[in-house]
Amino acid sequence: MNKLSQSIEKYILPVAMKVGNEKHLLAIRDAFITMMPITMAGAIAVLLNAFVRDFPNQYLGENNAITTFFQPLIAVNGLIWTGSLAIMALVFSGSLGYQLAKAYNVNPIGGMFVSLSAFVMGVPQVANISTVLNGTLTNDATKLITEAGGTVTTANDVSTIATSGWGFFSFNQYFGGTGLFTAMIFSFISVLIYAYLLKKNIIIKLPDSVPPAVSKAFAGIIPGTVALYVCGVIYYVFERVTAQSMIDWITNAIQAPLINLSQGYLAVIVVTLLVHVLWVFGLHGTNIMGAVLQSLYGTAMVANTNAFQNGDKIPYKWSAASFDVFVWPGGAGVTLALIIGLLWFSKRADQRTVAKLGLAPGLFNINEPIMFGLPVVLNPIYMIPFVLAPLCTATLSYVATMTGLVDPVVVTVPWVMPPILSGFLATAGDWRAIVLSIINILLALAIWAPFVMTANKMNNVTTDDLVDSSIN
């Protein structure tokens, strides 16, 4: 154990520290965090519609009394979803542009608008609409529609009219989760050019007598124009060469394969392992891995929520919220189970006191009192179950979700939502999520208990002694 601890400190921690402080990854993480108000609002709207629209329609039938009564609320929730999760990629492009410009110490508002423009200019503006008729069209009607630019297809005694028009954005296709990677890529391209030119002082300079706000605006004209022209040329050349939009290519060639890869068991276990190994050494593993969790699993989460709102098939089994509600209930390491174990099995007054103080926060997934008060960090006794328990809950939850024993997570719930209840809400009311959450906590408790009882035999050994012995 001592050699393992020393090896991790020597070889892994320096790399983790560099990754955790890398400004581009921090910008991605902070961009998602900044959007939390609208993502939570959108998630709450979808969740409310699940209980007043989807469940009643499923169990009571269409036009039931509950759904009819709540029609105004359902309509308002739809508007909130439209202005939040439905345009997640659009908002993210602005948020990331702001954070990147801030990281480079240039005007963040300018970076936000440059990034937003760079994303929007690459979104196709041709909308394709198909209407299925309850029958077939006559030859004369078909001729009229065709001459007007539409297309008519007839099969199985049913005609379908297809038409297209310029000047329309497809919310479902580009502004939701599917556009996040394109927003990310062109935020980096545009803002890095913008920041570079500003840093090189390639700007329009105004006299000192001009108000600072005006000077700042004029200073960004050349960098912003160059950044947008570079992005525009990239879009144009790519579409001319490949005959497809870049956003479609990025979604199909980069984003989809990466998200599909993240759905594998190995990917889930590696992320879980890295988060907890970092935590063991006092580094906020969840934050350090935040860029991975949000860019891949967060994209899957948005896609799931939007599909659920529209009544479509849920595209991904595992998403960002799956970790929160199933893998580490009570906080990283399933420390809620540790608190229960301390109150149940511990005979040490000091650890029981910390457990009592940490119980109330732990019920809301706040585990810092236990992590640093017990502590778990750099504790050679507790570091094993701290890593092992979430690996086991991740395995069980992954199997249950992938085999359909529990519905996929489709709603993001606030991270302070108490365990058990959070799983029920995140799966839009699947009662089996309650059972899985309880089993996970009991499984984690069974892993934590032997180590808590081992700690009982070390009343005369302080945590500082344990840390010193593990390092030396």
Side-chain angles (χ1 to χ4, degrees), residues 98-287:
Y98 183 96
Q99 296 298 336
L100 284 172
K102 186 178 176 182
Y104 279 93
N105 296 315
V106 297
N107 183 9
I109 300 298
M112 177 181 71
F113 285 123
V114 167
S115 175
L116 188 63
S117 297
F119 171 67
V120 172
M121 72 167 64
V123 178
Q125 298 182 47
V126 177
N128 299 305
I129 301 175
S130 296
T131 303
V132 179
L133 305 179
N134 294 323
T136 59
L137 291 173
T138 63
N139 291 335
D140 291 340
T142 300
K143 183 179 179 182
L144 285 174
I145 294 172
T146 303
E147 290 176 349
T151 302
V152 177
T153 57
T154 302
N156 300 323
D157 296 327
V158 174
S159 292
T160 300
I161 302 174
T163 186
S164 62
W166 183 87
F168 302 93
F169 292 121
S170 175
F171 272 63
N172 288 339
Q173 191 171 358
Y174 300 115
F175 282 172
T178 53
L180 281 171
F181 268 59
T182 303
M184 187 183 304
I185 291 171
F186 279 89
S187 287
F188 277 104
I189 294 174
S190 60
V191 176
L192 291 184
I193 294 172
Y194 174 77
Y196 175 81
L197 295 177
L198 281 174
K199 290 285 189 179
K200 291 296 183 179
N201 216 26
I202 304 175
I203 60 175
I204 297 175
K205 297 179 181 179
L206 297 180
D208 294 338
S209 59
V210 176
V214 177
S215 294
K216 271 190 175 182
F218 271 81
I221 290 177
I222 294 177
T225 302
V226 173
L228 292 182
Y229 264 93
V230 169
C231 293
V233 169
I234 292 174
Y235 284 128
Y236 177 80
V237 171
F238 186 88
E239 291 179 12
R240 286 289 180 176
V241 172
T242 66
Q244 65 174 323
S245 67
M246 176 160 275
I247 190 171
D248 286 329
W249 181 82
I250 290 174
T251 300
N252 297 324
I254 300 177
Q255 179 171 323
L258 285 175
I259 296 180
N260 289 335
L261 182 64
S262 74
Q263 298 296 294
Y265 173 71
L266 181 60
V268 172
I269 288 299
V270 168
V271 169
T272 303
L273 178 64
L274 290 175
V275 165
H276 290 84
V277 168
L278 292 170
W279 261 117
V280 162
F281 290 90
L283 302 175
H284 201 301
T286 314
N287 279 351

Side-chain angles (χ1 to χ4, degrees), residues 329 333-346 385 388-390 392-393 437-453:
V334 201
T335 46
L336 180 60
L338 169 59
I339 294 172
I340 297 171
L342 290 171
L343 295 175
W344 196 347
F345 300 110
S346 180
L388 181 61
C392 292
T393 56
S437 298
I438 294 174
I439 292 175
N440 278 340
I441 294 173
L442 292 176
L443 174 61
L445 176 60
I447 294 171
W448 275 107
F451 294 89
V452 171
M453 289 185 282

